[in-house]
Amino acid sequence: MRPLLGRRARQRWLHLIIGGALLMPYFLVGTVIVGSYRPEADVFSSPANQLMAFAYALPMATVTALLPLARPLSAAAARALCGLPPDRPLADGPARTRQARVRSAAWFTLHVGLGGVISGMTLALVPFAVAVMGLPFFAALRDSSAMGVPEALDRAWVLALAPFAGIAMLVALSGCAAAAGALLANRAPVLLGPTPHDRLAAAERRAAELAVRNRLARELHDSVGHALSAVTLQAGAARRVLDSDPEFVRAALTAIEETTRRTVGELDTVLGLLRKDDDGARGLPSGPGLDALDGLLARCGLPVAHTAEGDPGAVPGTVSREAYRIVQEGLSNALRHGGRGEPVRLRVSVGAGELRIVLDSPLPERPAPVRPGGGRGLLGIAERALLLGGRTGAGEHEGRWRLTARLPLHTPAQEQR
């Protein structure tokens, strides 16, 4: 009996009853239309007229279901009451395309159509079946004009079978309801499921969210990673001269304090964006630009020979911020892996339509050990340049390690505008 009267079957039956209730306004309008050209007939007492009113009601229901908001309402009801498999999700949000609206209208029409039939059967057959089951026990039912029991059937053996006939009617009604509910559950993922346009929009949203999170991860890697490298270098140098040069130790501790305070502020900014909702998370931290490059070089912990060419004011804000992060990551790599004894050479030149960065650092005497989880710095630099339509390069050059980046002053988004 579980397929007929189990929890899922009862929920689907309720879903069908709701469909019948939704059909009632359209059905009443249909009875008015039928009564307009058959004024002498009683619509509610004539099965033929009821079928005609039902036929008028379904097209009206279809037209109203073409509204975009019909899909999320139908999907919510189906998700709650149809017992859908978890691997067949339904679409979220209003139907924006013609295909989605047609599918949701077809679903709504099927729902209210089957619901109207099952609701009518439930309202008519359940009382009748109960009365049939009570015929052997209540003489008033046999004499009732409402039941209209023929005299030929008013026999003992017929009355003895009446309870079984009433039970058979209820079982048949349950079977019809279960079949109609199963049909709706089978069609729901097809008619209310995501269309190709919905899947494409969802993929674009996921790609945009992933791009934002990757950008935030790069910001964390570049700012926090650079700060930790500088702090580690300064702390190590201070430890070596702790007893012989107190002034140097004091200056190193001051630099460590300033670096950590600034980095904590940047970390709070990025983490605050991660805690926001999707709309808020799209606002990325602006960060410093090339105008803050002198401060970065002063506190990076390495001797840097800096050469600037061209007008930094001609560099757009977006390109300036990415250039700062590229230089910051290049200095971090020099701190972690570069050799000592020679200064890092940095050249930033602004040319005709292009910003070029060249950073040369000494090679270490022996290869640095590979850190678990490392190796993302050069990849992050390449991603930053690629997003702006630029390119990068890294490798040995004349006995030193050279990092180059070429960034167009006009990004692809600006050119499209």
Side-chain angles (χ1 to χ4, degrees):
M1 296 298 293
R2 180 176 295 178
L4 298 181
L5 298 175
R7 181 174 180 272
R8 177 178 294 180
R10 295 196 303 271
Q11 286 184 336
R12 291 176 176 176
W13 202 334
L14 176 60
H15 189 232
L16 289 165
I17 297 298
I18 293 174
L22 293 173
L23 181 68
M24 281 305 299
Y26 307 103
F27 181 78
L28 292 176
V29 175
T31 60
V32 172
I33 296 175
V34 174
S36 65
Y37 59 85
R38 288 190 175 185
E40 73 285 352
D42 186 358
V43 177
F44 291 98
S45 62
S46 171
N49 290 339
Q50 291 179 8
L51 289 177
M52 293 180 65
F54 183 78
Y56 282 119
L58 290 182
M60 290 186 287
T62 302
V63 172
T64 57
L66 291 173
L67 295 174
L69 290 177
R71 184 173 72 168
L73 297 176
S74 298
R79 191 180 289 113
L81 298 175
C82 270
L84 302 176
D87 58 338
R88 302 291 298 276
L90 302 184
D92 294 320
R96 299 298 184 186
T97 63
R98 178 182 178 183
Q99 182 184 27
R101 290 195 294 269
V102 170
R103 287 185 179 185
S104 60
W107 162 264
F108 186 76
T109 305
L110 181 65
H111 180 205
V112 299
L114 291 177
V117 173
I118 297 300
S119 297
M121 292 174 62
T122 302
L123 292 175
L125 195 57
V126 171
F128 182 77
V130 172
V132 169
M133 288 189 291
L135 286 177
F137 311 105
F138 302 99
L141 290 176
R142 296 192 296 272
D143 296 337
S144 173
S145 59
M147 291 296 297
V149 179
E151 295 182 1
L153 298 179
D154 192 6
R155 300 179 182 179
W157 67 271
V158 173
L159 296 178
L161 293 177
F164 300 99
I167 293 174
M169 294 177 193
L170 294 179
V171 171
L173 174 61
S174 300
C176 292
L183 177 61
L184 286 178
N186 179 265
R187 293 294 90 191
V190 177
L191 299 178
L192 294 179
T195 63
H197 181 271
D198 296 326
R199 294 189 179 94
L200 179 60
E204 291 176 348
R205 287 194 300 269
R206 287 194 296 270
E209 292 170 359
L210 182 60
V212 170
R213 293 187 179 275
N214 286 340
R215 173 70 183 275
L216 294 174
R218 286 197 301 269
E219 295 290 336
L220 282 175
H221 176 274
D222 293 349
S223 61
V224 177
H226 172 79
L228 291 178
S229 298
V231 166
T232 301
L233 181 65
Q234 291 162 345
R239 179 180 55 82
R240 286 192 293 269
V241 298
L242 181 61
D243 298 326
S244 60
D245 194 348
E247 290 299 326
F248 178 82
V249 174
R250 187 176 294 106
L253 292 177
T254 302
I256 290 174
E257 180 184 4
E258 293 175 353
T259 301
T260 53
R261 183 183 296 114
R262 185 185 65 259
T263 305
V264 167
E266 294 181 2
L267 181 61
D268 287 341
T269 301
V270 176
L271 293 180
L273 290 170
L274 286 173
R275 295 189 188 102
K276 291 182 180 179
D277 55 18
D278 290 343
D279 293 335
R282 297 182 186 279
L284 296 172
S286 58
L290 290 177
D291 54 348
L293 197 57
D294 292 338
L296 173 66
L297 301 180
R299 60 178 179 266
C300 71
L302 286 174
V304 180
H306 176 214
T307 303
E309 301 175 358
D311 180 16
V315 181
T318 302
V319 179
S320 179
R321 290 190 292 270
E322 297 300 329
Y324 178 92
R325 292 303 188 190
I326 289 173
V327 173
Q328 185 182 53
E329 180 58 30
L331 294 174
S332 297
N333 288 337
L335 276 171
R336 296 189 194 103
H337 312 297
R340 300 293 181 263
E342 298 183 38
V344 175
R345 295 198 294 264
L346 172 65
R347 185 171 75 253
V348 179
S349 57
V350 181
E354 184 181 68
L355 170 66
R356 185 174 184 182
I357 301 171
V358 180
L359 191 148
D360 286 324
S361 59
L363 291 171
E365 296 179 359
R366 58 178 181 273
V370 178
R371 297 179 295 107
R376 298 188 181 93
L378 293 178
L379 178 60
I381 290 174
E383 289 176 349
R384 288 179 183 276
L386 185 61
L387 288 175
L388 296 176
R391 59 187 186 274
T392 62
E396 293 188 26
H397 180 76
E398 298 179 356
R400 296 171 67 88
W401 181 266
R402 169 167 289 187
L403 170 67
T404 62
R406 303 169 71 96
L407 308 177
L409 297 183
H410 299 284
T411 63
Q414 292 172 329
E415 292 176 356
Q416 290 177 2
R417 288 196 296 268

